[in-house]
Amino acid sequence: MSMFVHVVKFDGILGLYRGLSASLLRQMTYSTTRFGIYAEIKQRFTTDKKSPRFLSLVAMSSVSGFVGGVVGNPADVLNVRMQNDAALPESQRRNYKHAADGLVRMIREEGWQSLFRGVWPNSMRALLMTSSQLATYDAFKRLILIETPLGDGITTHFTASFLAGFVATTICSPVDVIKTRVMSAKESEGLITVLKDTCRQEGVRWMFRGWVPSFIRLGPQTIATMIFLEQHKKIYRRLNGLN
């Protein structure tokens, strides 16, 4: 809450939307890739008599998340930099105008390799995020349908997605901290160097730094995404006579 007040006080309401274009670009690359691949793989292994087990769902979502992380990495680097810009001294700010300007400047000033800075921790984070979000959502949904009188409706989708958001935030929190520090670094510091420095300076407390704001962001996002996805699938099946 103190950070929210600080941003509004010094940057205005628009400061809360810093990096919006990069965030939208990230969703169009990272999210569409991981959701599309996961849905396709799961459909291939699902029959009328048998659904994939939880470990199979984890494997499917892990592959989907890793590929999505690689595809969405350039936009993720931009997103981190644009949101972190205000925290830097004025002389060190990059001041990207929007996502397209940031991509062009990164390639021109730092080379194309800069687009994939932090790609390994980011891809691992995407792997963990997708497996802990999509696989656990499907597992929680299946459990609710079997163990409770609830049907395949909004209440079930809301409950399963809330629980999936909680799990995803907890699992991904340590990776988020490292990913942000690697991507926002001015110099090309390696993952191991950043990890060593962080542990030496902060101990183990860094692992869940920012968990609450992460859940405030990821919880509603997971709920909205899953409910929208479920409704979209229902409409698609109805329009194509697949019910």
Side-chain angles (χ1 to χ4, degrees):
M1 183 59 69
S2 59
M3 179 58 70
F4 179 91
V5 173
H6 176 82
V7 171
V8 173
K9 181 178 179 180
F10 289 96
D11 298 307
I13 295 296
L14 292 179
L16 299 173
Y17 295 92
R18 182 179 289 111
L20 179 61
S21 61
S23 182
L24 292 174
L25 178 62
R26 177 179 178 271
Q27 294 303 323
M28 288 189 290
T29 52
Y30 161 66
S31 291
T32 54
T33 299
R34 69 187 183 117
F35 278 111
I37 293 176
Y38 178 69
E40 182 65 25
I41 298 176
K42 188 173 71 170
Q43 183 179 0
R44 290 179 180 271
F45 286 90
T46 301
T47 65
D48 293 335
K49 298 181 180 180
K50 187 178 181 181
S51 296
R53 296 186 177 182
F54 178 67
L55 290 180
S56 298
L57 293 174
V58 170
M60 296 174 192
S61 55
S62 296
V63 172
S64 306
F66 184 85
V67 176
V70 174
V71 173
N73 198 79
D76 217 357
V77 175
L78 274 175
N79 191 36
V80 169
R81 288 185 173 190
M82 292 177 74
Q83 292 182 356
N84 192 55
D85 226 25
L88 297 174
E90 193 167 342
S91 60
Q92 296 180 20
R93 294 179 184 177
R94 299 177 175 92
N95 295 316
Y96 297 144
K97 298 176 182 177
H98 42 70
D101 176 62
L103 286 173
V104 171
R105 285 182 52 191
M106 284 177 64
I107 295 173
R108 185 173 63 236
E109 298 170 8
E110 305 174 54
W112 65 267
Q113 297 91 337
S114 63
L115 299 177
F116 294 94
R117 175 170 294 173
V119 66
W120 296 119
N122 188 42
S123 297
M124 290 305 298
R125 187 260 185 192
L127 182 155
L128 292 172
M129 171 62 72
T130 306
S131 59
S132 60
Q133 194 178 48
L134 301 188
T136 56
Y137 172 78
D138 282 338
F140 282 130
K141 177 184 172 183
R142 186 182 302 172
L143 184 64
I144 292 170
L145 292 175
I146 294 173
E147 301 294 338
T148 73
L150 293 174
D152 189 7
I154 294 291
T155 303
T156 296
H157 304 158
F158 178 89
T159 305
S161 57
F162 176 85
L163 293 172
F166 183 89
V167 173
T169 303
T170 303
I171 290 177
C172 294
S173 183
V175 184
D176 276 340
V177 175
I178 292 298
K179 182 199 77 171
T180 300
R181 297 188 182 190
V182 169
M183 289 183 171
S184 60
K186 272 284 185 181
E187 301 177 359
S188 299
E189 295 179 317
L191 172 61
I192 301 300
T193 301
V194 172
L195 190 58
K196 283 182 178 179
D197 291 343
T198 302
C199 289
R200 184 175 64 251
Q201 295 170 8
E202 304 177 41
V204 297
R205 292 176 300 173
W206 65 268
M207 296 183 68
F208 296 101
R209 184 180 296 275
W211 187 95
V212 172
S214 292
F215 181 70
I216 291 174
R217 176 186 66 85
L218 189 59
Q221 181 203 54
T222 303
I223 293 170
T225 299
M226 294 307 178
I227 290 179
F228 175 83
L229 188 62
E230 291 283 4
Q231 297 306 307
H232 177 271
K233 288 192 292 186
K234 286 184 177 181
I235 295 172
Y236 177 83
R237 287 195 293 266
R238 187 181 303 120
L239 291 176
N240 288 274
L242 299 176
N243 284 333

